[in-house]
Amino acid sequence: MSALRTRTASREARRARGRVCRERLRCRRSARPAMELLPRSPAEFGSARYWDRFFRQRGQRPFEWYGALPELCPVLHKYVRPRDKVLVVGCGNSELSEQMYDVGMCEDIVNIDINNAVIHQMQERSRSKRPKMSYLLMDVLQMDFPDAHFHVVLDKGTLDAILTDEEEATLDKVDKMFGEISRVLQVGGRYLCVSLAQAHVLKKAVEYFSQEGWVVRVHQVADSRDKQQFVLPVFIYVMTKFRKITGSAPQILEICHEEQDKPMRMESVERLVTAVKDRQHYALLCSQLSKTPCKEQVSLDLCDKESGRPRYTLHVVDSSSVKPSRDNSFAIFIIPQGRETEWLFGTEEGRRQLATSAGFGRLVTVALHREQHYEGMASIQSELSGRVMELAPPGLPARQQVPFLSVGGDIGVRTVQHCDTSPLSGEYVVEDVKGDGTCYFRRLIFLRNRNVVQSEARLLAPTPLPGQKKRRKDKKKPNLAEPPGAIDKSYLCCEHHKAMVAGLCLLGGPDPLSGALLAVLVVGLGGGSLPLFIHDYFSQAHVAVVEIDPSMLEVATRWFGFSQGDRMRVHVSDGLDYVAKLGAEASAQYDAIMFDVDSKDLAVGMSCPPPAFVEKHFLQKVKAILKPEGVFVLNLVCRDAQLKESVLATIREVFPLLYVRRIEGEVNEILFCQLSPEGRRDPTELGARAQVLEGALRQAGRPWDSSYVLADMLQAVKIL
């Protein structure tokens, strides 16, 4: 795991980005920033007069751009061999060449610079100690060396100093520099450029040399520097010269995030630049988090180095209500597989409560991705230990042990049973996950919105056949990684489904509905748990289901125990068209109409239902097929407050009597719509009707989920 993708940064981190860019030129070794040596404008970096003044004022003190040999050595030693002839361009008074010589990395080193004073200074410093190394006064834009003279050209900050903007004159200079470097390098030679990798600098270098047929690889330098003085990471571009092949030879672009990692191939210059930006943003984020508590939750992905896909999703949560001490300042919480969508782990408020209840000042929650394989808690801890410590809060002691927490001490169980792609719904998966205790659940997830459970069912534990006995020697321990397969049709996993069923209490007189003739229309099948429950518990109900996606009918039938019969029919059709067709054929057909249909357009602030389902002219058609005392039940999921008010106003124009039941901890709101205001019932009457109905549904021999109390679902109902 090496690639990183920061998805959401706090405002403080974003503001820090601008500050850090202005600080990028600070000297690593000086006790204070040499601000008086910085240029008035970036363009002065390309001026010989500026460097005369710089080295005259600085004197004999070495100036190290972007680190010294200890930081750069792990990368340089891969590309510099002892017998190589090395050219260092823009050497300044850096000790890098001297250190490379002294440790035996390479001795045949030629250093050039445009400043006469610094060349004289460096000649005096190395003449007696390093006889094979030379310093020459020379401009990298016009060098006197013969063609193909060097194996390696090393540039530490020179390209960054020249390419300060994208003006035509500046780009002409850079083209001359690149042309000269290309000329003096042998085929197979390497141009090693140490840089902060600003986007325009990296893009220019990569585009130039890749178009010349060179292989381009970007390394990130391991960070062992003082982060208080230098925040942005340093990169080394490695451009290897090949003979240019006429025609359309493929570009070879690679990035290597850690020194021990294998290079990762990038398909374009843009993707390479983006990957480097991700690392820079991550460094800025870590710097900010190490200095101050974050007021907003920060989210980022750690990606698999082979596939580039997210492997872990991290949320950094600071709890202001916890007084941090040495033992409770920082912890990591591993969310069990499959439970990342639960309110406690999948919402900002839930994670905030989790951090507070865990008693840590900063909690990093870690969600595991279904496409990835995990060996267990120990391997995850080993994999994450180094990375999460970069997110530690201010003041954490260097050797402080950080606890890894989880529910029950394990990483949970997730088994993907089926995955496919629907032309209408996109990629989806059916997976079994382990909940609390020994319960297992089957879930349908649309990968375009992977943090939302589309449908869910509880799985039944296997029961032995009548008369079947296990012999003691055949008795085996249950395999916790193998969930049971049968669907518990008595269990409604979704709170909004429970509320939708409870809304049937608005129908009819005081007598129980369980045995009454009912005509119910459900638009939106999903896994089929809502129409199945109505079919099974209302013995005389005839249920028509409309589902636009035939793939969902197959999924519900194969994986969620759904089946059709005399009282249950599915119509594969667009709900808009089906309702319009019914309205044209006849009127007042249904006792209850239920909409539980999601929107495919994620750009709209309402994810359920699609906007066309709540337009006035369509609602008039719904009204036409609803019996006068019937109920229209709508699952509304709308995060746009203004849009929601508009939708509610439109519904009230068509259905004068409107109840709402908000689902605690979720965005869902269940609307119960009726035609006659005279049919209004107060909460007390609704509670009494719910108790009577539940008593009728709880028949002997029929399973019932004891946690489902119809009256509770109607307690919080309000009339709009």
Side-chain angles (χ1 to χ4, degrees):
M1 177 203 66
S2 59
L4 285 131
R5 198 157 59 232
T6 306
R7 299 190 303 170
T8 305
S10 64
R11 281 195 291 266
E12 290 89 341
R14 290 194 291 270
R15 286 196 294 268
R17 196 171 304 158
R19 293 198 299 271
V20 171
C21 289
R22 294 193 293 272
E23 295 171 357
R24 64 182 182 274
L25 301 174
R26 291 184 178 179
C27 171
R28 175 178 177 267
R29 293 199 173 179
S30 61
R32 60 185 177 87
M35 297 303 294
E36 71 278 4
L37 297 180
L38 294 181
R40 297 181 186 88
S41 70
E44 286 194 55
F45 281 123
S47 162
R49 183 180 302 172
Y50 165 74
W51 292 110
D52 284 341
R53 179 173 64 88
F54 180 93
F55 288 114
R56 187 169 58 252
Q57 292 185 27
R58 187 163 180 83
Q60 299 291 322
R61 288 177 298 157
F63 187 84
E64 294 298 348
W65 292 79
Y66 312 158
L69 186 63
E71 290 87 12
L72 305 177
C73 184
V75 177
L76 294 183
H77 84 87
K78 297 179 179 181
Y79 302 101
V80 180
R81 297 184 289 265
R83 294 185 180 181
D84 281 345
K85 184 181 287 290
V86 177
L87 170 65
V88 179
V89 297
C91 62
N93 65 357
S94 166
E95 296 177 326
L96 180 62
S97 298
E98 298 168 321
Q99 293 168 341
M100 290 169 62
Y101 191 105
D102 293 345
V103 300
M105 181 181 288
C106 183
E107 293 184 343
D108 191 351
I109 304 176
V110 179
N111 302 271
I112 67 170
D113 201 284
I114 57 173
N115 184 267
N116 188 46
V118 80
I119 289 296
H120 178 72
Q121 173 190 328
M122 299 306 290
Q123 286 173 340
E124 290 298 315
R125 213 160 75 184
S126 291
R127 180 174 287 123
S128 59
K129 298 178 183 177
R130 305 171 186 92
K132 295 183 181 180
M133 188 164 69
S134 60
Y135 288 86
L136 303 175
L137 182 66
M138 193 178 297
D139 191 341
V140 69
L141 306 184
Q142 190 175 357
M143 295 187 284
D144 299 333
F145 304 114
D147 295 353
H149 189 63
F150 294 98
H151 300 98
V152 175
V153 173
L154 178 57
D155 164 1
K156 186 155 79 81
T158 300
L159 176 61
D160 284 8
I162 293 176
L163 189 47
T164 55
D165 55 55
E166 296 182 88
E167 298 294 328
E168 185 176 352
T170 303
L171 296 177
D172 287 344
K173 275 187 179 182
V174 173
D175 286 340
K176 288 181 181 178
M177 174 182 174
F178 287 165
E180 280 292 271
I181 289 172
S182 177
R183 181 183 66 79
V184 302
L185 265 180
Q186 299 179 6
V187 173
R190 285 83 61 201
Y191 171 32
L192 310 181
C193 178
V194 185
S195 168
L196 283 182
Q198 288 178 283
H200 72 284
V201 177
L202 175 62
K203 189 171 185 288
K204 175 66 177 176
V206 173
E207 284 181 344
Y208 182 96
F209 289 104
S210 63
Q211 288 170 5
E212 291 296 312
W214 295 30
V215 173
V216 178
R217 180 180 295 170
V218 177
H219 285 266
Q220 182 176 350
V221 175
D223 189 4
S224 62
R225 293 166 285 110
D226 182 358
K227 292 186 179 182
Q228 296 299 320
Q229 289 199 359
F230 210 96
V231 176
L232 287 175
V234 172
F235 296 87
I236 300 180
Y237 321 151
V238 180
M239 274 79 79
T240 303
K241 183 176 179 179
F242 281 77
R243 286 189 176 89
K244 190 172 183 179
I245 301 173
T246 56
S248 56
Q251 294 179 324
I252 300 179
L253 310 173
E254 298 175 332
I255 189 167
C256 196
H257 294 292
E258 309 286 351
E259 58 194 62
Q260 73 274 14
D261 282 352
K262 293 180 181 178
M264 183 187 300
R265 185 69 59 91
M266 297 282 109
E267 63 269 20
S268 66
V269 174
E270 290 71 24
R271 280 292 304 123
L272 181 59
V273 172
T274 299
V276 170
K277 280 183 178 179
D278 288 339
R279 300 300 305 190
Q280 292 168 328
H281 293 169
Y282 178 71
L284 290 166
L285 176 64
C286 292
S287 173
Q288 188 64 27
L289 289 174
S290 69
K291 296 173 184 175
T292 58
C294 55
K295 297 178 181 178
E296 299 175 354
Q297 293 187 22
V298 175
S299 171
L300 57 117
D301 288 333
L302 303 185
C303 299
D304 179 73
K305 63 184 179 184
E306 299 293 339
S307 66
R309 290 188 171 190
R311 180 163 172 79
Y312 300 101
T313 294
L314 276 57
H315 285 87
V316 182
V317 187
D318 281 351
S319 179
S320 58
S321 62
V322 176
K323 186 176 181 180
S325 66
R326 179 182 177 88
D327 296 325
N328 74 339
S329 59
F330 190 37
I332 316 301
F333 190 96
I334 307 298
I335 300 170
Q337 295 180 88
R339 300 187 63 182
E340 63 277 356
T341 58
E342 295 180 14
W343 181 85
L344 188 63
F345 310 124
T347 66
E348 284 198 16
E349 181 58 31
R351 288 188 293 267
R352 192 175 293 112
Q353 287 193 20
L354 178 65
T356 302
S357 62
F360 287 90
R362 173 170 292 173
L363 187 71
V364 175
T365 65
V366 181
L368 315 180
H369 283 252
R370 63 177 52 81
E371 299 89 352
Q372 304 289 334
H373 174 70
Y374 307 93
E375 293 294 338
M377 182 65 79
S379 66
I380 290 175
Q381 183 172 348
S382 174
E383 192 175 352
L384 287 178
S385 290
R387 187 65 70 201
V388 295
M389 290 306 296
E390 297 173 337
L391 306 174
L396 186 75
R399 296 185 179 181
Q400 176 72 28
Q401 288 191 337
V402 177
F404 277 69
L405 314 174
S406 187
V407 178
D410 63 21
I411 64 171
V413 176
R414 186 205 311 267
T415 304
V416 175
Q417 298 287 5
H418 179 67
C419 54
D420 207 341
T421 301
S422 160
L424 292 174
S425 303
E427 290 184 276
Y428 64 87
V429 297
V430 176
E431 61 185 23
D432 293 345
V433 299
K434 185 183 178 185
D436 287 328
T438 58
C439 290
Y440 280 86
F441 299 91
R442 178 160 294 165
R443 292 173 176 169
L444 170 64
I445 309 283
F446 291 163
L447 296 186
R448 59 181 166 77
N449 197 3
R450 61 182 61 234
N451 290 326
V452 175
V453 175
Q454 192 67 25
S455 296
E456 185 176 57
R458 185 167 65 183
L459 300 177
L460 289 168
T463 55
L465 296 174
Q468 184 180 16
K469 293 183 179 180
K470 286 187 177 180
R471 291 181 296 178
R472 186 174 297 275
K473 65 179 181 179
D474 292 335
K475 191 172 183 179
K476 296 180 180 179
K477 292 183 179 179
N479 186 354
L480 296 180
E482 294 182 3
I487 300 295
D488 183 355
K489 298 179 183 179
S490 71
Y491 183 74
L492 288 171
C493 291
C494 304
E495 290 297 304
H496 68 273
H497 280 173
K498 293 179 180 179
M500 293 174 83
V501 171
L504 296 177
C505 292
L506 291 165
L507 292 175
D511 297 329
L513 288 171
S514 59
L517 289 171
L518 290 177
V520 181
L521 175 65
V522 178
V523 180
L525 174 65
S529 60
L530 176 61
L532 266 180
F533 187 92
I534 295 172
H535 173 274
D536 290 354
Y537 283 86
F538 294 83
S539 58
Q540 296 300 311
H542 288 257
V543 185
V545 184
V546 183
E547 171 57 52
I548 192 173
D549 190 347
S551 300
M552 293 304 101
L553 176 56
E554 181 183 345
V555 166
T557 304
R558 180 180 177 188
W559 297 105
F560 288 87
F562 182 81
S563 61
Q564 300 186 64
D566 294 339
R567 295 190 296 111
M568 173 84 80
R569 302 304 302 173
V570 175
H571 306 274
V572 177
S573 174
D574 186 329
L576 297 170
D577 296 338
Y578 190 83
V579 170
K581 180 182 176 183
L582 287 177
E585 293 175 350
S587 61
Q589 300 178 39
Y590 291 100
D591 298 283
I593 299 173
M594 297 181 170
F595 282 4
D596 186 25
V597 54
D598 74 309
S599 173
K600 310 299 182 189
D601 186 358
L602 299 181
V604 180
M606 182 168 63
S607 57
C608 183
F613 280 78
V614 287
E615 291 178 357
K616 186 174 181 179
H617 69 91
F618 181 71
L619 292 173
Q620 295 283 7
K621 296 174 182 178
V622 175
K623 174 182 175 181
I625 63 172
L626 184 68
K627 292 180 180 180
E629 295 183 356
V631 60
F632 168 44
V633 185
L634 172 68
N635 179 22
L636 177 66
V637 181
C638 187
R639 291 174 171 81
D640 184 328
Q642 188 174 356
L643 176 59
K644 183 167 72 172
E645 284 303 314
S646 174
V647 168
L648 293 175
T650 302
I651 294 174
R652 278 197 296 263
E653 290 180 25
V654 181
F655 297 94
L657 181 56
L658 180 59
Y659 305 83
V660 63
R661 168 63 158 88
R662 292 180 173 85
I663 305 301
E664 186 177 355
E666 299 180 18
V667 186
N668 302 65
E669 294 178 277
I670 307 305
L671 306 181
F672 307 107
C673 317
Q674 291 192 294
L675 297 172
S676 175
E678 289 74 23
R680 172 173 174 169
R681 306 182 192 279
D682 60 43
T684 303
E685 182 182 356
L686 284 176
R689 292 170 69 89
Q691 290 178 350
V692 172
L693 177 58
E694 183 179 328
L697 296 178
R698 285 176 173 250
Q699 295 182 6
R702 178 183 292 173
W704 181 266
D705 173 23
S706 58
S707 68
Y708 183 25
V709 180
L710 267 66
D712 290 349
M713 301 307 299
L714 297 178
Q715 272 186 351
V717 165
K718 294 182 180 179
I719 298 177
L720 297 182

